[in-house]
Amino acid sequence: MRVTKEQAEQNRAHIVATAARLFRERGYDGVGVAELMATAGFTHGGFYKHFRSKADLMAEASASGLSQIAARSEGLGPAGFVESYVSREHRDRRGDGCTVAALSGDAARQSAEVKTEFAAGIESLLTALQAPSDTPGDADQRAARTMVIDMLAHSVGAIMLSRACPDDSPLAGEILDVCRKEILASLAHGSSDQPAALGPEA
């Protein structure tokens, strides 16, 4: 039976989603094409009807995962993001979690194509987390961006350090608790440093 164009697109999307989850769980080198296709419900040979190579799939799966975390973060704001992100639930759900925390270490050793997708995805995430400024001057925008980059880097690092410890290690939980508290305190301090908006009669 001939596969329609629409079905082929759905099959491809399903393979990409499966790959994104497996890569987050095990890393790019932790799963082969044959196992990936079997998990998605297809034959090994069918892979090359959709992708030229595993490297192409890695880049597309990364882009997909990164776009998902940016979409889920839209409207949360930095503090809301930290509360959800720097948590035991996120730490333990690697396959459903953030691609940045799961694969940044791997991406650093991959092709320029994968790195380019990561750069674009991280930029989208920063945009989703940076609230529009009431005073949209260059200095204000730079300060807001600096704060969000700092927050994201610390949040990602906290998850990566915690995951490097045994699941039942007291240190794994301590890292999350300490980092979440300190990041939120830093965000609150940064907000308090912003000058109050002047009223129309000032």
Side-chain angles (χ1 to χ4, degrees):
M1 181 177 176
R2 186 175 179 83
V3 177
T4 65
K5 182 179 179 180
E6 181 181 1
Q7 185 61 56
E9 291 174 352
Q10 291 175 358
N11 291 347
R12 181 187 177 95
H14 179 61
I15 294 169
V16 170
T18 301
R21 176 174 54 80
L22 290 176
F23 288 151
R24 284 192 296 266
E25 289 176 352
R26 297 191 233 163
Y28 293 121
D29 297 330
V31 57
V33 169
E35 181 186 3
L36 191 158
M37 291 298 285
T39 302
F42 302 107
T43 63
H44 184 184
F47 176 85
Y48 296 98
K49 296 178 182 178
H50 298 283
F51 309 97
R52 290 176 301 173
S53 65
K54 181 182 176 183
D56 284 344
L57 175 59
M58 286 162 50
E60 189 166 338
S62 299
S64 175
L66 289 160
S67 67
Q68 288 173 14
I69 183 62
R72 291 202 302 264
S73 302
E74 193 80 43
L76 284 179
F81 175 84
V82 172
E83 291 283 7
S84 173
Y85 196 97
V86 188
S87 66
R88 188 71 192 224
E89 181 181 11
H90 179 210
R91 176 200 185 273
D92 292 345
R93 298 181 62 188
R94 189 187 305 259
D96 297 322
C98 176
T99 296
V100 180
L103 290 169
S104 285
D106 281 18
R109 295 183 289 272
Q110 299 302 324
S111 67
E113 186 178 7
V114 171
K115 290 181 179 180
T116 297
E117 294 295 351
F118 260 78
I122 292 169
E123 188 65 58
S124 294
L125 180 54
L126 293 172
T127 299
L129 291 169
Q130 186 173 335
S133 176
D134 292 331
T135 52
D138 288 345
D140 298 299
Q141 291 177 342
R142 284 197 301 270
R145 180 177 173 84
T146 295
M147 180 186 72
V148 172
I149 289 174
D150 182 73
M151 176 276 296
L152 179 60
H154 280 85
S155 297
V156 170
I159 292 295
M160 294 176 74
L161 284 177
S162 182
R163 284 178 175 166
C165 301
D167 289 348
D168 59 352
S169 166
L171 179 58
E174 183 182 10
I175 289 169
L176 295 178
D177 292 342
V178 169
C179 289
R180 183 173 56 254
K181 178 181 177 181
E182 292 301 314
I183 297 167
L184 290 172
S186 177
L187 289 173
H189 178 71
S191 297
S192 67
D193 283 346
Q194 297 299 315
L198 295 178
E201 299 179 3

